[in-house]
Amino acid sequence: MPLTNTSVIPDAWSQAHQPVAESAMRSRVDILVPLDQVPSPGWGEDPGDPVGDAVAAGGVHARIRSLSTGNTLAPSGQSNDTADYLIQTPANALPSLLVGENGHRLRVTINPGSPALEGRLFTIMGIQHSTEAFARDLICREHVTQTQGT
């Protein structure tokens, strides 16, 4: 039982531990601008500047963990295979992220543990919130139907 007027968790405890959590994030991701916010006209006309690849934050530290795979039926009747991932980024990587099919996306640029993930694109489906967060937990989805064989 804590003493009266004492705090079990000191103020700024999670902020003090964020650098430790970030030091374990060996992968790097680019946070991409939502598709509906990509600048135009003329955007994507130069090589290396394809539509949809505007970077909001580049080289962000990350830790990537596979969660599950699934299969859904698209309205067209085509099978759509997906894989869900937990991607942790520093708590202050971006002040706010938009989620869902039209929100921010992540592209893996470096992943020493599994180089096969490099270049893969993930849609941020949700953000997990907690009271003492060392990192920002992003639930992401990859549509693997289009990426099989890569």
Side-chain angles (χ1 to χ4, degrees), residues 42-65:
W43 182 262
E45 293 177 0
D46 296 324
D49 193 28
V51 171
D53 283 351
V55 176
V60 175
H61 294 258
R63 182 175 24 234
I64 303 168
R65 184 171 61 123

Side-chain angles (χ1 to χ4, degrees), residues 15-92:
Q15 289 87 352
H17 286 78
Q18 286 174 4
V20 176
E22 188 174 327
S23 71
M25 297 177 185
R26 298 179 53 226
S27 300
R28 300 291 180 274
V29 297
D30 287 343
I31 300 174
L32 304 179
V33 172
L35 289 173
D36 61 355
Q37 295 179 14
V38 171
S40 59
W43 182 262
E45 293 177 0
D46 296 324
D49 193 28
V51 171
D53 283 351
V55 176
V60 175
H61 294 258
R63 182 175 24 234
I64 303 168
R65 184 171 61 123
S66 176
L67 294 176
S68 65
T69 58
N71 183 290
T72 58
L73 194 60
S76 65
Q78 179 183 1
S79 176
N80 190 15
D81 296 322
T82 60
D84 291 339
Y85 289 82
L86 169 65
I87 300 180
Q88 294 180 307
T89 62
N92 58 357

Side-chain angles (χ1 to χ4, degrees), residues 109-146:
T109 56
I110 298 172
N111 192 41
S114 179
L117 285 178
E118 292 176 5
R120 301 286 259 297
L121 192 64
F122 297 93
T123 301
I124 303 170
M125 301 306 292
I127 302 172
Q128 302 297 307
H129 298 281
S130 61
T131 54
E132 296 296 334
F134 300 146
R136 185 177 287 183
D137 295 341
L138 308 173
I139 304 300
C140 298
R141 176 161 294 153
E142 178 188 28
H143 294 284
V144 294
T145 304
Q146 289 87 20

